[in-house]
Every structure is written in structure tokens, then in C-alpha cells.
């Protein structure tokens, strides 16, 4: 790997790899079958500082950089993609949004608990009729004295059932379109917040994905995140970081599928020799390794730009686009290499294949990433990569 890691980043990678292999991997297949939320794993991860990785020490975080976070998240995803997606949303979008836009009071009341794992954070932007088009959301927040009253339904919310708080976007000025969207921190015990349908999903089955209904949900004005009208900006900035998180998850799952495929090829006999000897299969392995390496460079580059406080929107979308499509190709090849066994639940590649499928969809589809990339290129007259 040409990207040079410093001693702290290498230490994070080594520590999380050992933890993931010894602890997280052990129950990953069982959780996939039972859909059991990984609360115990998350508690242990909080003790290791993995639930507030980029949160400063002053707010009980680990004060890691984005590169260290990518390394840690990839290792968790290698072991269990369901656990990784909870970690990703919690860190990349929820903690960072409160860190970047929250008041000091909000950081003291919410960010510390999030970083210590006292509660899990969720992010509610998507609605039944507003997926890739967030400006079309219908949830509203009407000012009423020193409160806002929120009404609407959010869909496909990661950790919607098991979260302790949720950052929700709502229209405070519908006529202003994206400039009329605001963001709010809503605690799960608010009587106006109700968990709705829990999705039956193809993959990431141990991570709950739900509807959230807001029925005259009264939220103190002190829990508005940022200023009125900043909700769209907060969401887009959070999604930039979140897309690096999806790329990191993609790396972890792809690496797990790759290792499983190589091990199987070295053990499986056909036509009097190991299938690893066949040129067609060796070329598949070579392509898998090359794509994983390329995705890793894109992802670490985007994370490093974020650490340098450069504009990384373009690079985050490139990393998310390439890595999420890469993991779908790699897991498909891993299943193919396993032959009929790859289609059974006796082998982990079947789970990797199902888990990987959503990576090209959530936090911005591949099509949306291509729009973001093209818009950045033409807007800035960007020519040199």
C-alpha cells in the first residue's frame, strides 16, 4: 500500500483488527440469522473509543483523524457489516454533525453521551417520497413559542429502533425549498416520536432499519441544530463524511470476501488439482485484489483531504462510488469461486454478497454520486486528477 500510515494510525488498525477478529466475527453469522442488534459489541467498542473516534477529548472522544477512522471502520466491516453500519452512521453523520454545528450546550448534553456509547445516534433525512431528492421531503417543523412541533414520517432509518437520539431534518419554511430545511436533535423518549415499520432486509440484518413517525413531536428550540434553514447544509456536510464511511465499509466487506475466496481456492480440489492453479480463477483473484487496492487509495485519499480541512466532496463521492461498486463485483466473484457452496449459508461469502448490495444505494446512490462528481468537475473547471 503506497499510502503511508503514521504510528498512531497503524496502532488503531492493529488494535481494532484484533478486537474485530476475536469478538465481532464470533457472532456475525448468528446475528445475520436472528437479526439481533449488536448492543454488546457496541458497548465494547465504546470502551475502546470507537463510538466517538473523531470527537475531541474534551467531549469524551478519541480525537482520531479520519484516516484512523477509515482503518477502524474497515476492520469492523471485515468482521460484521451490520455492526459497521451502526458505527458509521453514529460517527460519520451524528457525532460529526453535532460537533460541527452544535452549540456548546448541545455538545455537553449529547455529544459526550454519544462518544461514550451511552446512546446510539441515528440520522433521519429520507422519506417515503424523498430519497435521492431530499428537497421534496414533507416533514415540517412549526415554531410554537420556545418549541418546534414536528410532523411527518422518515423512512429507512438506520438504528431507528435502537437509537437514543436522532438528528431529523424538517421544513421550517416550505417556500424556501432547500434553504427552508432545518435540523433538530430529538431524543428517543420524546412522546411525539414513534418507531414504525421495521424493514425485512436482504442484508445488514442485525442493523435495524425503520420508519420514524413524528406526531406533534415537541422539540425545544434549544435542540435545533444550527440556524433555521441550515438543515440541508448540515445534511450534505454529514453525508460527505458518511460517504467516506460507506467506502470504508465496502473495503472491509470486500477484503473479507477476497480472503475467503483465496482460502477456498487453495483448499478446493477439482480435476486433480487445487482450483487456485486454474488461470481463469487466478485472473479473477488478481482483478479482485487490484480493485480493492484502488478503492483503498481513493478512500484514504478522501479521508486525508478531510483531515487537512480541504474540500473533499468530490473525492468522497468518487471513493463511495468506486468502492461500493467494487465490493459488489468482488463479492460476486467470491461467490462464483465457491461455486454451489457460495450459494449456501454454510459459507460467509453468501452473507458478504447480500450485505454489499445496499452500498451502492444508501447515503446517495451511485447515480447521485455521478451527478455530484460531474457537477464538481464542471463547476470548478476541474481537469487534472
Amino acid at each position: 500500500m503506497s499510502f503511508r500510515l503514521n504510528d498512531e494510525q497503524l496502532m488503531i488498525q492493529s488494535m481494532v483488527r484484533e478486537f474485530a477478529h476475536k469478538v465481532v466475527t464470533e457472532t456475525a453469522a448468528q446475528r445475520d440469522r436472528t437479526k439481533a442488534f449488536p448492543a454488546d459489541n457496541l458497548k465494547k467498542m465504546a470502551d475502546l473509543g470507537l463510538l466517538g473516534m473523531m470527537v475531541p477529548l474534551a467531549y469524551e472522544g478519541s480525537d482520531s483523524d479520519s484516516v484512523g477512522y477509515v482503518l477502524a471502520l474497515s476492520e469492523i466491516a471485515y468482521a460484521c457489516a451490520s455492526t459497521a453500519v451502526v458505527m458509521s452512521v453514529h460517527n460519520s453523520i451524528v457525532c460529526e454533525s453535532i460537533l460541527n454545528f452544535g452549540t456548546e450546550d448541545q455538545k455537553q448534553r449529547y455529544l459526550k453521551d454519544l462518544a461514550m456509547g451511552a446512546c446510539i445516534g441515528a440520522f433521519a433525512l429520507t422519506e417515503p417520497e424523498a430519497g435521492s431528492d431530499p428537497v421534496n421531503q414533507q416533514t415540517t417543523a412549526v415554531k410554537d413559542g420556545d418549541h418546534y412541533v414536528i410532523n411527518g414520517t422518515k423512512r429507512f432509518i438506520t438504528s431507528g429502533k435502537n437509537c437514543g437520539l436522532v438528528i431529523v431534518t424538517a421544513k421550517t419554511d416550505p417556500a424556501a425549498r432547500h434553504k427552508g430545511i432545518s435540523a433538530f436533535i430529538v431524543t428517543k423518549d420524546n412522546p411525539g416520536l414513534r418507531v414504525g415499520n421495521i424493514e425485512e432486509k436482504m442484508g445488514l440484518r442485525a442493523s435495524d432499519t425503520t420508519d420514524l413517525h413524528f406526531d406533534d413531536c415537541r422539540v425545544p428550540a434549544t435542540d435545533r441544530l444550527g440556524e433555521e434553514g441550515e438543515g440541508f447544509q448540515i445534511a450534505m456536510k454529514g453525508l460527505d463524511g458518511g460517504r467516506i464511511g460507506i467506502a470504508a465499509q465496502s473495503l472491509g466487506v470486500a477484503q473479507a470476501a477476497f480472503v475467503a475466496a483465496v482460502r477456498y481456492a487453495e483448499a478446493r480440489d477439482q480435476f486433480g488439482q487445487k482450483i487456485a492453479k486454474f488461470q481463469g480463477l487466478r485472473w479473477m483473484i488478481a482483478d479482485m485484489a487490484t480493485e480493492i487496492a484502488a478503492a483503498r487509495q481513493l478512500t484514504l485519499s478522501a479521508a486525508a483531504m478531510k483531515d487537512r480541512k480541504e474540500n473533499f466532496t468530490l473525492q468522497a463521492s468518487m471513493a463511495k462510488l468506486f468502492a461500493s461498486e467494487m465490493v459488489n463485483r468482488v463479492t460476486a466473484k467470491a461467490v462464483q469461486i465457491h461455486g454451489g457452496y457460495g450459494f449456501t449459508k454454510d459459507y460467509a461469502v453468501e452473507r458478504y454478497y447480500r450485505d454489499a448490495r445496499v452500498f451502492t444505494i444508501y447515503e446517495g446512490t451511485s447515480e447521485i454520486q455521478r451527478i455530484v462528481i460531474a457537477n464538481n468537475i464542471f463547476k470548478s473547471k476541474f481537469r487534472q486528477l
Side-chain angles (χ1 to χ4, degrees):
M1 183 175 69
S2 62
F3 195 97
R4 186 177 296 276
L5 303 176
N6 62 37
D7 289 344
E8 181 179 348
Q9 292 161 350
L10 288 169
M11 182 186 69
I12 290 171
Q13 183 181 50
S14 177
M15 181 268 290
V16 181
R17 178 174 294 170
E18 181 179 7
F19 167 77
H21 285 216
K22 288 184 177 180
V23 178
V24 181
T25 302
E26 185 177 347
T27 60
Q30 179 184 357
R31 292 183 190 283
D32 177 67
R33 291 191 298 270
T34 63
K35 299 183 290 184
F37 187 75
D40 49 348
N41 283 347
L42 292 166
K43 175 63 172 66
K44 294 171 184 175
M45 289 163 62
D47 293 340
L48 293 174
L50 301 182
L51 296 190
M53 287 203 69
M54 293 169 288
V55 174
L57 298 175
Y59 303 111
E60 307 297 339
S62 300
D63 204 21
S64 171
D65 60 13
S66 295
V67 170
Y69 169 63
V70 162
L71 298 172
L73 184 56
S74 295
E75 295 297 337
I76 296 296
Y78 181 104
C80 177
S82 293
T83 303
V85 69
V86 178
M87 174 183 171
S88 181
V89 172
H90 178 92
N91 274 282
S92 300
I93 303 184
V94 180
C95 287
E96 283 220 89
S97 292
I98 295 176
L99 179 64
N100 291 330
F101 294 94
T103 63
E104 181 61 27
D105 175 64
Q106 289 169 344
K107 293 173 186 177
Q108 292 291 338
R109 287 191 293 127
Y110 299 124
L111 191 54
K112 285 185 174 182
D113 281 350
L114 289 165
M116 292 188 294
C119 73
I120 298 299
F123 176 67
L125 174 67
T126 299
E127 296 186 3
E129 302 300 327
S132 296
D133 179 16
V135 177
N136 193 43
Q137 64 184 282
Q138 301 302 309
T139 299
T140 60
V142 178
K143 190 76 181 291
D144 182 22
D146 57 359
H147 283 71
Y148 286 85
V149 180
I150 302 177
N151 282 284
T153 295
K154 297 294 182 175
R155 178 148 293 170
F156 301 141
I157 308 306
T158 298
S159 305
K161 177 183 176 183
N162 288 283
C163 67
L165 66 81
V166 55
I167 295 177
V168 56
T169 59
K171 287 186 174 180
T172 46
D173 182 3
R177 295 183 55 75
H178 71 280
K179 293 183 178 180
I181 297 171
S182 301
F184 302 88
I185 302 171
V186 184
T187 56
K188 194 64 175 299
D189 57 3
N190 190 304
L193 171 55
R194 177 171 55 87
V195 176
N197 179 58
I198 300 175
E199 301 293 342
E200 183 68 40
K201 299 179 298 182
M202 175 191 297
L204 304 181
R205 288 167 56 81
S207 162
D208 60 287
T209 302
T210 77
D211 283 354
L212 290 179
H213 301 293
F214 297 85
D215 304 313
D216 290 331
C217 180
R218 295 183 63 82
V219 178
T222 54
D223 284 341
R224 186 188 66 221
L225 186 60
E227 299 299 323
E228 273 201 11
E230 282 190 335
F232 185 81
Q233 175 189 349
I234 292 169
M236 294 304 104
K237 185 175 179 64
L239 287 173
D240 278 348
R243 286 163 183 167
I244 294 177
I246 302 301
Q249 293 172 61
S250 299
L251 284 173
V253 174
Q255 186 68 30
F258 173 75
V259 169
V262 171
R263 288 174 177 169
Y264 184 84
E266 290 175 330
R268 175 71 167 167
D269 286 302
Q270 289 290 276
F271 302 101
Q273 60 182 331
K274 303 298 183 187
I275 63 173
K277 296 290 186 180
F278 295 112
Q279 185 182 60
L281 187 145
R282 293 171 75 87
W283 284 5
M284 290 171 68
I285 294 292
D287 287 344
M288 293 162 74
T290 302
E291 288 205 67
I292 293 171
R296 182 176 291 113
Q297 296 303 312
L298 276 171
T299 305
L300 290 174
S301 177
M305 289 184 69
K306 182 172 181 285
D307 287 333
R308 295 193 298 267
K309 302 190 185 307
E310 299 172 11
N311 186 329
F312 62 96
T313 297
L314 172 64
Q315 286 72 19
S317 282
M318 285 180 168
K320 199 270 187 187
L321 171 65
F322 185 81
S324 65
E325 297 200 340
M326 172 277 296
V327 71
N328 277 274
R329 292 189 292 267
V330 166
T331 53
K333 285 185 172 72
V335 170
Q336 190 73 16
I337 288 168
H338 279 71
Y341 291 110
F343 199 64
T344 73
K345 292 187 180 295
D346 294 331
Y347 287 80
V349 290
E350 181 269 344
R351 169 164 52 90
Y352 302 151
Y353 183 74
R354 288 186 289 105
D355 285 343
R357 187 60 192 88
V358 76
F359 292 166
T360 61
I361 298 173
Y362 66 1
E363 294 194 32
T365 64
S366 289
E367 292 71 28
I368 290 297
Q369 302 316 311
R370 290 184 170 94
I371 290 172
V372 172
I373 292 165
N375 285 348
N376 273 269
I377 290 171
F378 287 107
K379 178 180 178 181
S380 62
K381 306 299 180 185
F382 190 77
R383 294 293 183 271
Q384 186 173 346
L385 294 173

